[in-house]
Amino acid sequence: MAPSVLHRIRIILADDQAEIRALGRQMLAELGFTNVECAVDGYDAYRKFVMKPASLVITDLSMSPVDGLELIRLIRTAPDSPNRYVPIIVLSCNTDEESVAQARDAGINDFLAKPMSLNTLYSHLEALIARPQNFIKTGSYFGPNRRRHIPAQRVHERRSMQA
């Protein structure tokens, strides 16, 4: 990523733990992201997102009174959401299969487990910025196409087998 553009990327970092917000802000600053706004829960993050849309949202799942899943759903489906396509990364200790599936089904772009390294954070951010995902809408889902890692030929083969 070119350092000259990183300062223009506005990030909302939502976590109910002050230590995690401070660490996240510090790690992002080390990577060159200087426009980071922190939020204490999903409601606070969504309010800030509506007032001034972000280029990226990083959220924890376990927050109160409004958790990360509700924040994701609001961003993706609320009528007043200013950017339903914003990349969303979940950063959480809840890495059990059910939590990851719920976040995926709500429309996240990526999932990172706490604690994370600076290199891991960088590689995931770089992938989101360098290779944006296509979005899809079905009856019950709006979010990034989950098949981004499947080569086009394999997607065609899978569809052919279903016919």
Side-chain angles (χ1 to χ4, degrees), residues 130-150:
R131 295 179 299 282
Q133 294 170 280
N134 292 324
F135 275 63
I136 59 172
K137 180 170 177 42
T138 66
S140 61
Y141 175 77
F142 176 79
N145 185 347
R146 298 180 196 150
R147 293 185 176 179
R148 75 176 175 157
H149 297 295
I150 300 173

Side-chain angles (χ1 to χ4, degrees), residues 41-43 45-46 59-63 65-78 88 102-103 106:
D41 65 36
Y43 174 77
Y46 189 70
T59 184
D60 186 18
L61 289 180
S62 299
M63 298 181 289
V66 176
D67 66 14
L69 288 175
E70 185 60 25
L71 170 61
I72 297 161
R73 290 183 189 111
L74 285 167
I75 290 170
R76 295 289 187 237
T77 63
I88 301 172
Q102 287 177 334

